[in-house]
Amino acid sequence: MTHLSRDRFLRIALWPLAGVALLVLFQGAASRGSEPRESRTAQPASVSTDFAMKQLNGEPLRLSDYHGKVIMVDFWASWCPPCREEIPHFVEWQKQYGGEGLQVIGIAMDDYPADAVKAARELGINYPVVEGNDKIAGEFGGVYGLPFKLVFGRGGEIVARRRGQADLPSLKRLLVTYLSERPPARKP
C-alpha cells in the first residue's frame, strides 16, 4: 500500500511540473518566430500593399492617396477588447497630429461589416476604416493576431510592426519621430 501511495504521490506532483515545462517550451517556440515589438529598421513596402481597399462607407481607399504622410494601419475587430481599448488613443492622435501628416487607417477584420460599422460609430473613429479579410491581411505580409499595426514612413516604407496590444507611449514617440521628418517630393 505504501508503494501505491508513493506512486500516486509522484504522479500528482510531477504532472503539474510537466505541464509547466510544456507551457514554457511552447511559449519559447512561439516567441522565436515573432517579430520584434518595436523596430526602426526600414523595410521597403511592397507595391502590392497599394491595392484598392473598400471602406466601410463603400468608397475605395489606396495607400498612395496618402503619399508623404506617416501612415499607421491598425488591424482590429469589434469583438477584440485590446483593439477597442487602443482605438480611442488613435482617434486622439488623428485629431492631434493629422495636420502634421499622420494618417491612421483602420482595417476591420470582422466577419460582418455591420459589426465594424457599429463599433466605429460607438468608438467615434475619425479616420478611414476598410473592410478587412484574409487576402488584405496577406497583402500586408500576414496578420497573426489582433490587434496588429504597421507604420509607414513618409517615403512609403514600412518602419514598424506591432503585434498585440501596443505600448502606447512608445508607439506615439515612434509616430512623432517620423512626423518630424521632411516629406519626400512627390514623383510625377
Side-chain angles (χ1 to χ4, degrees), residues 31-187:
S31 67
R32 274 194 292 275
S34 67
E35 297 167 4
R37 290 188 58 83
E38 184 165 333
S39 171
R40 289 264 306 159
T41 306
Q43 298 175 2
S46 168
V47 175
S48 67
T49 59
D50 194 34
F51 58 97
M53 298 175 280
K54 181 180 166 190
Q55 295 184 59
L56 294 179
N57 66 9
E59 297 292 319
L61 179 138
R62 299 181 74 83
L63 289 179
S64 62
D65 294 342
Y66 302 101
H67 176 80
K69 292 186 176 247
V70 173
I71 303 167
M72 185 180 77
V73 176
D74 175 40
F75 286 84
W76 65 282
S78 63
W79 48 260
C80 168
C83 301
R84 293 179 71 102
E85 194 175 306
E86 290 178 339
I87 287 172
H89 298 277
F90 304 157
V91 167
E92 184 57 36
W93 296 350
Q94 184 63 55
K95 281 184 209 170
Q96 186 176 1
Y97 298 110
E100 296 176 39
L102 175 65
Q103 183 59 62
V104 179
I105 298 172
I107 299 184
M109 298 299 287
D110 286 276
D111 290 333
Y112 304 102
D115 293 341
V117 169
K118 180 180 176 194
R121 196 172 315 123
E122 289 171 358
L123 294 164
I125 292 179
N126 59 350
Y127 47 83
V129 178
V130 301
E131 294 178 26
N133 55 40
D134 290 340
K135 182 180 180 210
I136 289 174
E139 293 288 344
F140 283 95
V143 174
Y144 305 101
L146 297 175
F148 181 80
K149 287 153 284 305
L150 289 170
V151 178
F152 290 79
R154 289 187 184 269
E157 72 283 2
I158 296 173
V159 296
R161 289 179 168 85
R162 298 286 185 282
R163 183 175 21 193
Q165 193 163 11
D167 173 355
L168 293 169
S170 172
L171 182 58
K172 184 177 179 180
R173 280 192 304 275
L174 178 81
L175 293 171
V176 169
T177 297
Y178 282 99
L179 285 168
S180 69
E181 294 180 353
R182 188 174 175 178
R186 184 151 190 134
K187 296 178 183 176

